[in-house]
Amino acid sequence: MKRLLSFCLCLLLISCFEDKDDNLDLSNLATPTFRFTQNWDGTDVSIDDLITTQFTNAHGETLNISNLRYLISKIVFENADGDIFILNGYQLVDLSDPSSSLFSPEGSLPEGLYTLKFVYGFNEMDNIDGAYPELNSVSWNWPQMLGGGYHFLQMDGMFNVDTTIATPYNYHHGTAKLSDTEFEQNFVNFEFTNSIFISHNTEIEIQFNLAELFKNPNLWDLNQYSSSLMPNYDAQKMMQQNAATAFSIGQVTN
């Protein structure tokens, strides 16, 4: 049977296990650090690319990026014995703020081999309207009339920038509105099967391929889906499907 462990303090973890399990080695506890990077089909995307760099999506539109923010939450590690460790906290990554690319979640786990899971956005338990002052202060809220809670992604810029009819786009992803009274959770669970060794100095790179948002499995036509996408149910579900192929584990250092 799997054991679920969610702790913010090492001392709490130790006290919870001293009478329950003799197999876990609690003498070496570690908290991994995450580094979030962005790329466009393998080409790095950084703050230096905002507005200035042009990208071509799979449909053939040339675009730039003036704003990129996305949310990662519910980081979970599982070992071969089925012990599950949930590390608390979330991270709002902002391409314009390089310091936001590093994240150390709250909690620790024994050194060892683990597989990794996380949520892109907030799941239904965590996507609580107005619950996070830090996110409220940076206008990350999703409108109540569209289901409330928070954005998962904001990506803005211009497309057709190689022509004389450059047009703004607002690729904003969150809860999907089915009707005035029906809303669908629209986050993505990521589960990676390759084992990672976690030690005191582990840093895990999470790569976000932005090009995937426009091509897999839905070929995205910005001429059709560029603005007013937040209340558009079909667009929101397509975003969820495309985001599901956009994240991967990169370099792991110890």
Side-chain angles (χ1 to χ4, degrees):
M1 180 179 294
K2 293 181 178 179
R3 289 158 289 185
L4 184 63
L5 318 171
S6 178
F7 306 108
C8 294
L9 297 174
C10 296
L11 291 177
L12 178 59
L13 189 152
I14 294 171
S15 66
C16 287
F17 265 94
E18 59 186 4
D19 296 324
K20 296 177 66 175
D21 195 294
D22 297 326
N23 297 319
L24 284 173
D25 180 6
L26 301 180
S27 62
N28 287 308
L29 295 175
T31 300
T33 298
F34 290 84
R35 179 180 296 276
F36 298 97
T37 63
Q38 298 73 223
N39 67 87
W40 191 280
D41 279 342
T43 300
D44 290 343
V45 178
S46 71
I47 185 174
D48 296 330
D49 295 297
L50 288 174
I51 301 178
T52 60
T53 301
Q54 296 183 6
F55 306 93
T56 302
N57 66 16
H59 194 259
E61 287 91 37
T62 302
L63 59 106
N64 63 25
I65 301 170
S66 60
N67 172 58
L68 175 68
R69 300 193 292 176
Y70 57 94
L71 185 83
I72 301 295
S73 67
K74 195 65 75 177
I75 293 172
V76 176
F77 289 94
E78 182 175 350
N79 65 20
D81 294 326
D83 298 317
I84 295 174
F85 297 81
I86 299 175
L87 301 189
N88 296 321
Y90 60 82
Q91 185 70 357
L92 178 61
V93 183
D94 185 341
L95 189 60
S96 69
D97 177 11
S99 67
S100 70
S101 66
L102 284 177
F103 175 52
S104 293
E106 300 172 0
S108 300
L109 63 162
E111 286 190 337
L113 282 172
Y114 296 88
T115 56
L116 170 66
K117 303 176 185 179
F118 64 76
V119 172
Y120 157 75
F122 278 137
N123 67 15
E124 64 269 29
M125 294 179 62
D126 295 329
N127 199 21
I128 304 168
D129 198 55
Y132 306 99
E134 300 89 350
L135 298 180
N136 301 338
S137 67
V138 294
S139 302
W140 193 243
N141 310 76
W142 193 256
Q144 287 188 349
M145 63 181 296
L146 300 180
Y150 294 89
H151 283 75
F152 304 157
L153 167 78
Q154 289 178 344
M155 183 175 176
D156 304 292
M158 305 288 288
F159 72 100
N160 290 335
V161 293
D162 56 339
T163 73
T164 58
I165 53 169
T167 305
Y169 72 89
N170 307 107
Y171 194 108
H172 290 198
H173 181 197
T175 299
K177 178 183 177 181
L178 186 59
S179 70
D180 288 341
T181 58
E182 295 177 278
F183 308 97
E184 290 186 7
Q185 297 298 327
N186 213 26
F187 61 92
V188 181
N189 282 313
F190 280 87
E191 300 185 12
F192 303 98
T193 58
N194 292 338
S195 293
I196 301 170
F197 184 79
I198 302 299
S199 70
H200 292 284
N201 300 313
T202 299
E203 181 179 283
I204 303 169
E205 179 190 13
I206 302 298
Q207 300 175 333
F208 186 9
N209 183 359
L210 303 175
E212 287 291 305
L213 299 176
F214 298 93
K215 67 178 180 181
N216 188 21
N218 303 295
L219 184 62
W220 198 275
D221 182 355
L222 279 169
N223 297 289
Q224 181 179 2
Y225 296 107
S226 62
S227 60
S228 299
L229 302 182
M230 292 170 64
N232 186 323
Y233 176 83
D234 291 337
Q236 289 301 313
K237 299 310 291 184
M238 290 167 60
M239 288 179 182
Q240 181 190 39
Q241 294 164 6
N242 284 15
T245 62
F247 288 89
S248 61
I249 297 177
Q251 186 175 12
V252 178
T253 58
N254 285 291

